[in-house]
Structures are given as C-alpha cells and as structure tokens.
C-alpha cells in the first residue's frame, strides 16, 4: 500500500484538522515534494503544527520523514519493482526529481536581475568567469555556453590569473564569480572591489545568503538550495547553480536573437 492509500485508510484516526491536512496532501501530493513544512503551510493555508501532528499520527517522526517517503514514492512514479528498481524506473526517478528542481529554481529567479546580467554579458567588451574547486565545473559550463553564443570570455580557477585579470578589466567589462559556499577564496573581496573601482561589473552567484562576498559584488544572485529527499546539500546546490546558469544562457540567447531581429529590420531599405 502506498503512502496516500495508507493515509486514506487511516482517516478515521485523525482529528478534524488532521483530516483536512490528509485530504489536502492526497489532493496536492506534488506540493509536498521538496518543500518545507512552512512552504506547505503557505500553499495550503493549514496549520504547521497540525501538519506535523498528522505526520506523527501516521507513524513518522515529523514532516521531514513523511516528506522523504512521499518524495520517494511520487518521484519513482510507481516504477519500483519487487527486488529493486528497473533501469526505466531509475531513469524516470532521475528525470522527475530534476523536473521538480528546475521548476522551483525557475520560479525563484529574479527576472529583472536575470535580464540585467544577460544584457551586461551581451554588451561587455571583456567577460571573465571565475570558480574554484567544484565550482570550476560550473564556471566552465557558463564559459562554454557564452562561447557558443559568440561571447568571447576567459575562464579560470587559478587565483594568480584572477589577480592579473582583475587589474585588466575596466569600464563595461563583466566578471562572473561562482561560489557555492560563498567562502572559497578570501582574496575574492579585494579582486571584486578592484574590478568595480575600475568601472566593471561583478556578478556573484551563490547559494549562501550570508557570504562575505555579497557586499563586494555589483549584484549578487543568491539561489535557494532546494532539498529533495535523499539528496545531499552538495548535490542539491550543484544542481541549483547548474539550472540557474542554463536559464541565464537561455536569456542571453533570447536577447541576442531579439537584437539580430531589430538589426535585420533596420537594414531593410524603406519601401521593400
């Protein structure tokens, strides 16, 4: 018996308010996936304490354990087979987990700031992309996407090179600094300040809202790390940043295509 069926079978044990929680969850199961109890409260209008009590009535320690089980069952789409998961089941679970993550990151993006970052990248004479340790992979992701869009850029994880680049970037230039924890390299603060003092823009991408480097950036893109059941903080943050960068590259492509359309229209002689 899956979780929703078991919840329905135990309705007679619930108080009236707990029953309202159970019926809401049964009717809106995807609201539970990846969300905190406070987010479910916001979506449903129910009492947080009642949600927790209903989960405990079901035999769970609290909402987090209940959510993990709901997450596991919903995102597998019923493809778990006796004795293990089929190849198709594992693929389906992976796809569904990332679809949920993509939706949540997209909903949280500040559209006006996204547009500003993309426009700055399109118009910058010089673009630098920095990331150290694991975030160098994300720096390479952004750099390759910009190159594909025809935006030449330099990418590095070498702190000595960063120091050289910071002294070169000037008015209108852009540096994108990607830092998961927001505390990767102490000298970031000085280098970011130097770029801004020379007239450049620094965009700082992180999942750490308390990073010391946020105040040194022209703009900080602070992404919410959205946990899914069984996913580690590291994997979750990596995926969140990956998705944001892909959304940013899509905005860059959109702005470029719009500019090309305007230029093409302007080049057509009157009367044609």
């Amino acid at each position: 018996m899956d979780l929703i069926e078991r919840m329905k079978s135990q309705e007679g044990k619930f108080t009236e308010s707990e029953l309202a929680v159970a019926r809401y969850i049964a009717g809106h199961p995807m609201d539970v996936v990846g969300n905190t109890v406070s987010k479910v409260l916001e979506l449903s209008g129910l009492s947080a304490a009642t949600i927790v009590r209903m989960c405990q009535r079901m035999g769970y320690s609290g909402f987090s354990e209940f959510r993990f089980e709901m997450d596991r069952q919903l995102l597998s789409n019923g493809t778990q087979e006796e004795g293990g998961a089929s190849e198709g089941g594992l693929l389906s679970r992976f796809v569904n987990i990332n679809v949920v993550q993509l939706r949540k990151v997209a909903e949280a993006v500040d559209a006006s700031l996204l547009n500003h970052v993309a426009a700055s990248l399109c118009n910058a004479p010089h673009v630098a992309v920095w990331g150290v340790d694991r975030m160098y992979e994300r720096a390479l992701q952004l750099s390759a996407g910009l190159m594909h869009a025809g935006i030449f850029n330099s990418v590095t994880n070498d702190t000595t090179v960063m120091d050289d680049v910071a002294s070169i970037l000037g008015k209108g230039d852009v540096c994108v600094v990607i830092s998961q924890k927001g505390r990767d390299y102490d000298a970031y603060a000085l280098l970011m300040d130097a770029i801004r003092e020379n007239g450049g823009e620094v965009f700082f991408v992180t999942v750490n809202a308390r990073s010391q480097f946020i105040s040194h950036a022209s703009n900080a893109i602070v992404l919410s790390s959205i946990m899914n059941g069984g996913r580690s903080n590291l994997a979750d943050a990596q995926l969140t940043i990956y998705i944001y960068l892909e959304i940013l590259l899509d905005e860059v492509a959109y702005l470029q295509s719009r500019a090309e359309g305007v230029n093409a229209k302007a080049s057509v002689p009157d009367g044609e």
Side-chain angles (χ1 to χ4, degrees):
M1 182 183 298
D2 69 25
L3 182 56
I4 292 179
E5 290 177 349
R6 186 158 61 86
M7 188 166 55
K8 290 180 177 179
S9 72
Q10 296 184 24
E11 285 186 352
K13 300 179 181 179
F14 299 146
T15 65
E16 185 175 341
S17 56
E18 291 168 356
L19 182 59
V21 172
R23 288 177 175 172
Y24 178 84
I25 292 175
H28 307 82
M30 291 305 293
D31 283 357
V32 175
V33 177
N35 281 326
T36 62
V37 66
S38 59
K39 183 62 176 179
V40 175
L41 171 63
E42 177 187 331
L43 294 170
S44 67
L46 298 166
S47 162
T50 305
I51 293 173
V52 173
R53 284 199 302 271
M54 192 283 297
C55 296
Q56 292 174 337
R57 188 85 67 181
M58 290 282 295
Y60 297 97
S61 60
F63 179 75
S64 294
E65 186 180 1
F66 177 88
R67 179 189 61 191
F68 177 82
E69 181 63 16
M70 177 72 79
D71 184 25
R72 186 185 68 80
Q73 290 190 17
L74 289 178
L75 295 182
S76 65
N77 272 345
T79 54
Q80 299 281 4
E81 297 181 349
E82 187 175 358
S86 66
E87 181 179 351
L90 289 173
L91 178 59
S92 178
R93 173 174 170 76
F94 175 81
V95 169
N96 282 316
I97 285 175
N98 290 292
V99 165
V100 171
Q101 189 89 344
L102 174 60
R103 175 173 58 82
K104 291 182 179 296
V105 174
E107 289 173 353
V109 167
D110 182 326
S112 61
L113 179 54
L114 176 74
N115 180 266
H116 174 65
V117 177
S120 295
L121 288 169
C122 289
N123 298 323
H126 303 96
V127 174
V129 184
W130 297 350
V132 298
D133 298 329
R134 293 184 179 89
M135 287 300 99
Y136 184 52
E137 295 179 9
R138 301 284 67 84
L140 289 172
Q141 171 197 350
L142 178 59
S143 175
L146 292 174
M147 285 290 194
H148 183 73
I151 299 175
F152 179 79
N153 63 90
S154 64
V155 58
T156 187
N157 63 347
D158 188 313
T159 54
T160 300
V161 173
M162 290 177 189
D163 188 68
D164 292 338
V165 171
S167 66
I168 296 171
L169 296 181
K171 186 175 181 179
D173 294 335
V174 168
C175 181
V176 180
V177 181
I178 305 171
S179 173
Q180 176 186 321
K181 297 178 180 179
R183 56 177 187 269
D184 301 313
Y185 176 46
D186 289 340
Y188 270 159
L190 293 175
L191 298 180
M192 292 162 73
D193 287 344
I195 294 170
R196 294 175 62 197
E197 288 170 5
N198 290 334
E201 278 193 286
V202 180
F203 298 112
F204 183 63
V205 182
T206 186
V207 294
N208 181 6
R210 298 181 179 180
S211 171
Q212 61 178 315
F213 303 126
I214 289 176
S215 62
H216 298 274
S218 305
N219 290 100
I221 299 91
V222 181
L223 305 169
S224 298
S225 186
I226 305 165
M227 287 297 295
N228 281 313
R231 183 183 295 280
S232 70
N233 279 307
L234 172 61
D236 179 68
Q238 284 265 15
L239 180 57
T240 298
I241 293 173
Y242 173 88
I243 292 172
Y244 174 79
L245 294 178
E246 288 300 304
I247 294 171
L248 174 59
L249 289 168
D250 186 67
E251 183 73 5
V252 167
Y254 167 73
L255 293 180
Q256 286 185 322
S257 64
R258 190 173 67 175
E260 289 170 0
V262 171
N263 292 335
K265 184 176 180 180
S267 66
V268 177
D270 292 340
E272 290 191 13

